[in-house]
Amino acid sequence: MPPAALSVHLAIGQAYAWSVFKPPLESSLGLSGTQSALPFQLGIVMLGLSAAFGGTLVERNGPRWSMFVSMVCFSSGFLLSALGVATRQYWLVVLGYGFVGGIGLGIGYISPVSTLIKWFPDRPGMATGIAIMGFGGGALIASPWSAQMLSAFGTDTGGIARTFLVHGVVYAVFMTMGVLLVRVPAEGWRPAGWEPGRAASRALVTTADVSARNAIRTPQFYFLWIVLCFNVTAGIGILEKAAPMITDFFAETATPVAVSAAAGFVALLSLANMTGRFVWSSTSDLIGRKNMYRVYLGVGALLYLVIALTGNASRPLFIVCALGILSFYGGGFATVPAYLKDLFGSYQVGAIHGRLLTAWSTAGVLGPLIVNAIADTQKAAGRTGPALYTTSLYIMIGLLAVGFLANELIRPVSERYHERPAAEPETRAAERGQTR
Amino acid sequence: MTSADSQQPDAGARRHTGLMVLAWAWVGLPFAYGVYELVQKLAQLFAG
């Protein structure tokens, strides 16, 4: 099951490498930077929307269906984009990559989550950590691969169209492996020697099931939404502006950071983001989800404080703190499905996860907006160096503190939201019947 | 139980192991390529 999940997540993780296509699209089609970012932005919006609204379908029809839909949408997005570039119809690229491909991103992102949790009920954090680490790793593969293909085919419209075409075909083949491999465990399957009751003796871990419809009526869902949103906002603020940030921070020191070194810093942050997804999510199986988020939010806020207080005094210290923050950013993404499973059970955890991902879409707008707007204002006021970012850093500390408080307020879900065991088989049979 | 019967589970296990190796290689090799490219970029941070 993990390779099946990875074959989807490693493919759709390509979305974070969209920036490779921006300069050639701008020069060959005469686009502005804002216009060339449109397919990616629409893709992320569609990711959140399709995960939120398609989650129930994913639960009903199972992982093979959803991985297939994801593969068709994601690959078709590239094929439509190839057609759009070849015919110089940029709207087709936006529609193809952003709208159609974005649906593939959302459905693909949540498709293996619930199945992984059912296969590994004893280590849900590790299981979802592997898959969601794949989403981080997707850009690591796509970024150099796309760049090499563009340099081979050329950066004119013909070259970009051929590159999109190859991406569409290769990703279709690559994701098909996941579609073929994925298996749902038999009803009642459990790992040898594992007892659900023993795991449920931990605070917050339930053996009951809560439907997606009921989950969004609980305060726990909204507290977790705030936790995810602010944890992601804090990380994305650094991630999105990493290269100019490290350059600005140390511009006035004896050892300024060169452009190539800034690219290395971005790469290091990607590694921390990816590793954090697996390491911290697996750690949450040992120390519990609530404690893990205390670390992400509490220690994350302290690391931001260290950067704000020390400024450009030490480059290694700045890098270590940024790495910690980015590892917590990745960990926050990867641990949340297991947190949902603890609170709401595994019954419709994929659908609930889909709805929670609207927090990601919100943070994707909020984080860059805060950091960019404040840096621009400070620059206009004639400030330089760390002063460009100090206010943003304190805002991030405030957001993390609010997230920490929201995490503290999370309690076990009230029994009135639990599915009734006696009605369970009928309800589920009825739901299955509706899909036929 | 015949010897053919006892060999069947072995063949099944071998097929399963082969499929696992293929599946992990399918995702592991592209991932290793991505990590290799990343490590090359990392060197620039410490050189710069």
Side-chain angles (χ1 to χ4, degrees), chain A residues 68-93:
Chain A
F68 179 75
V69 169
S70 170
M71 182 269 284
V72 170
C73 291
F74 190 63
S75 299
S76 306
F78 272 113
L79 300 182
L80 278 171
S81 301
L83 183 67
V85 176
T87 56
R88 303 184 71 85
Q89 299 292 315
Y90 185 60
W91 66 270
L92 254 179
V93 181

Side-chain angles (χ1 to χ4, degrees), chain A residues 250-269:
Chain A
F250 298 95
E252 293 159 347
T253 63
T255 54
V257 176
V259 175
S260 60
F265 176 62
V266 175
L268 197 58
L269 291 185

Side-chain angles (χ1 to χ4, degrees), chain A residues 394-416:
Chain A
Y394 283 113
I395 290 175
M396 296 303 177
I397 293 168
L399 292 179
L400 287 170
V402 174
F404 190 92
L405 186 66
N407 185 45
E408 290 307 308
L409 292 173
I410 293 175
R411 300 276 180 273
V413 174
S414 163
E415 279 182 21
R416 72 173 185 275

Side-chain angles (χ1 to χ4, degrees), chain B:
Chain B
M1 198 170 171
T2 65
S3 63
D5 287 337
S6 64
Q7 278 165 9
Q8 271 177 354
D10 286 347
R14 267 202 302 276
R15 257 201 312 276
H16 179 73
T17 308
L19 187 65
M20 286 287 282
V21 170
L22 177 71
W24 277 108
W26 185 260
V27 293
L29 291 175
F31 189 68
Y33 157 76
V35 172
Y36 169 75
E37 292 286 338
L38 178 96
V39 169
Q40 285 198 317
K41 269 191 205 160
L42 278 185
Q44 295 170 344
L45 175 64
F46 299 104

Side-chain angles (χ1 to χ4, degrees), chain A residues 2 5-6 9-10 13 16 108-110 112-113 116 124-138 273-278 281 329-338 353 357 360:
Chain A
L6 276 171
H9 271 238
L10 283 173
Y16 277 145
Y109 192 89
I110 59 172
V113 165
L116 278 166
M126 183 210 70
T128 55
I130 290 175
I132 292 172
M133 181 181 76
F135 194 79
N273 173 13
M274 197 178 67
T275 322
R277 290 171 190 241
F278 178 68
S281 192
Y329 163 82
F333 271 123
T335 313
V336 90
H353 184 218
L357 289 182
W360 179 6

